[in-house]
Amino acid sequence: MTSWLQKSVLVLTGVVVIAAGLVTVGMYRDARRARAELETLRADVVQLARSVSTTPRARGQEDRAGRAALAALQPQRVSAAVRPMGQAMQDTVPVNQPTSERMEQQTAAAMEVRVQALAGAYTQEARDLKWSPVALETLQQAYAANPKLAALSIASDCRTTMCRVDFSFQGVPDGFDAVRSLLQMHAWPGAQFAQIDRSTKQGSAFIAREGFELPRADLPEGM
Amino acid sequence: MGLMSADAAENYKAYPGGACVRTSGSAYERYFGTVFNNSATSELNVFCPLVRDGGYILTARVNVFDRNTTIDVSCTLWHEQERGNNVFLVSSTVTSSGFADTYKSLKFSGPGFPVGGYYYVTCSIPRADNGQVSHIASLTVIETDPEVG
């Protein structure tokens, strides 16, 4: 009986020793693997540090480009001053129409001119390489987070003082509601001008950069 | 003088915040003439109609109490107009910036050109913070004076 007990104890002890050995070998291998990964990481950090050391120059160039673009656009920055434009517009509508009707026609015509002016100004505007991608990402993230917009076709881009968002709701059930939801989103404070064409089921929105106004429209003679 | 010239007389109007109606969120409450959000968990969205009887807006203000330390009161002034198949929407968004014990005035400039159709303001009122609620106290609008045609 005693001999059986002694044998059992010996066998158990042997098992424990072997298991401990296996664990030690495993830990050694893990340590080697960790060391190798650490070396790889160290190399990555060195490479990253080298690339960062060259970035300020690139960033400085980008800043200068952005400042130059902004400087070029200064004349387009708009004060809140009201533009006198009444008399000329009045001449385009028969004078025997009621005032409210004339006013509606005049202001609607002014809206159409404004859309064309915004589209033109946007096309000519340079791109602020710092602000543009950040603003675009902000817009895209906001749109992606709104499930109501999933069915819309949306193309957006940003320049220096504004972003342009073109959208289509062709073939989209409740598309007009989705567009309403799109235009009610304001990714940052500021002005927005939008036109929706119900016949083509398309539209555009111009969104001013925070701290900027949308370029104003110079109305043509006779309007 | 032109129909909408810059020297047109001014037409001032004021509205109580309590004139705003709830569109979504909770919890809509009125306190005297103001509207506030009595929810501690969600924002309250309201719609505030404005009477347009003048030419066009020169300036507008939404007077608010922002008592939330992290979420601002955000308001948008809208002008909408239709012409044929086109709908035009001109909007401007202004936000309060951080907690204040006294009321803040969110100021909107007019669009700088005549805008017809109709006007309204939408606001998001933040949730109560530490038991303190945020309000829309009042709205004021200065339009060019209406002229008789």
Side-chain angles (χ1 to χ4, degrees):
Chain A
M1 184 68 182
T2 309
S3 155
W4 179 84
L5 192 62
Q6 283 174 339
K7 278 180 186 169
S8 297
V9 169
L10 279 173
V11 168
L12 275 173
T13 307
V15 167
V16 168
V17 168
I18 289 166
L22 286 172
V23 167
T24 306
V25 168
M27 285 172 68
Y28 175 71
R29 281 182 182 161
D30 285 347
R32 280 187 63 181
R33 198 178 301 131
R35 202 176 305 130
E37 284 175 5
L38 195 62
E39 286 302 321
T40 309
L41 275 173
R42 192 171 290 150
D44 287 348
V45 168
V46 169
Q47 196 175 353
L48 187 64
R50 279 182 189 142
S51 69
V52 166
S53 69
T54 61
T55 301
R57 211 178 111 205
R59 190 173 291 156
Q61 286 167 348
E62 199 173 272
D63 281 347
R64 280 194 293 279
R67 278 197 297 274
L70 282 171
L73 282 159
Q74 287 306 310
Q76 292 186 25
R77 291 187 68 171
V78 178
S79 72
V82 177
R83 297 171 53 72
M85 51 189 278
Q87 190 62 58
M89 287 182 70
Q90 201 173 12
D91 295 340
T92 61
V93 181
V95 289
N96 57 354
Q97 283 189 10
T99 301
S100 59
E101 196 176 327
R102 270 188 290 152
M103 190 182 287
E104 292 299 319
Q105 288 190 21
Q106 288 163 347
T107 55
M111 292 282 210
E112 289 181 353
V113 171
R114 186 95 199 276
V115 170
Q116 290 165 11
L118 283 169
Y122 181 83
T123 304
Q124 290 176 2
E125 196 168 271
R127 191 183 303 276
D128 179 340
L129 297 177
K130 271 185 86 173
W131 177 77
S132 167
V134 174
L136 185 58
E137 192 176 346
T138 304
L139 283 180
Q140 288 173 339
Q141 282 181 357
Y143 297 158
N146 186 343
K148 288 181 183 170
L149 312 185
L152 294 178
S153 299
I154 301 174
S156 38
D157 193 18
C158 299
R159 295 290 170 92
T160 296
T161 69
M162 59 178 156
C163 296
R164 176 174 178 155
V165 179
D166 294 314
F167 50 86
S168 168
F169 52 104
Q170 290 168 351
V172 179
D174 301 323
F176 209 77
D177 279 347
V179 167
R180 194 170 56 92
S181 186
L182 170 73
L183 298 177
Q184 282 176 342
M185 299 179 70
H186 290 83
W188 54 78
Q192 175 179 279
F193 189 106
Q195 177 191 25
I196 311 168
D197 187 330
R198 279 185 292 220
S199 61
T200 63
K201 299 187 186 303
Q202 290 177 321
S204 300
F206 298 89
I207 305 169
R209 179 177 179 172
E210 191 171 356
F212 286 76
E213 296 289 340
L214 289 172
R216 62 187 171 192
D218 287 320
L219 293 171
E221 286 296 318
M223 181 169 274
Chain B
M1 188 170 70
L3 179 65
M4 297 167 188
S5 65
D7 57 352
E10 292 179 355
N11 173 316
Y12 175 89
K13 295 187 202 72
Y15 304 84
C20 301
V21 295
R22 173 186 171 276
T23 52
S24 62
S26 62
Y28 183 97
E29 298 276 355
R30 285 200 180 99
Y31 181 74
F32 292 88
T34 75
V35 60
F36 70 93
N37 183 359
N38 202 25
S39 167
T41 55
S42 68
E43 277 55 69
L44 170 67
N45 298 305
V46 295
F47 172 96
C48 316
L50 302 175
V51 173
R52 175 188 165 216
D53 64 2
Y56 57 99
I57 287 182
L58 294 171
T59 59
R61 288 176 189 270
V62 181
N63 301 310
V64 305
F65 289 96
D66 174 0
R67 298 210 181 98
N68 189 300
T69 51
T70 54
I71 307 171
D72 291 332
V73 178
S74 176
C75 293
T76 303
L77 170 66
W78 294 87
H79 308 68
E80 290 182 10
Q81 173 147 15
E82 297 192 31
R83 188 190 201 198
N85 286 314
N86 286 315
V87 181
F88 300 96
L89 301 100
V90 184
S91 62
S92 181
T93 300
V94 179
T95 57
S96 58
S97 46
F99 176 94
D101 264 332
T102 54
Y103 86 81
K104 291 180 177 178
S105 207
L106 308 184
K107 188 181 176 187
F108 299 85
S109 296
F113 66 100
V115 177
Y118 47 88
Y119 310 143
Y120 60 92
V121 168
T122 55
C123 288
S124 172
I125 309 173
R127 64 195 68 182
D129 185 7
N130 224 1
Q132 299 204 71
V133 294
S134 297
H135 297 240
I136 303 295
S138 63
L139 302 91
T140 59
V141 176
I142 298 177
E143 284 183 293
T144 56
D145 214 16
E147 292 187 32
V148 179

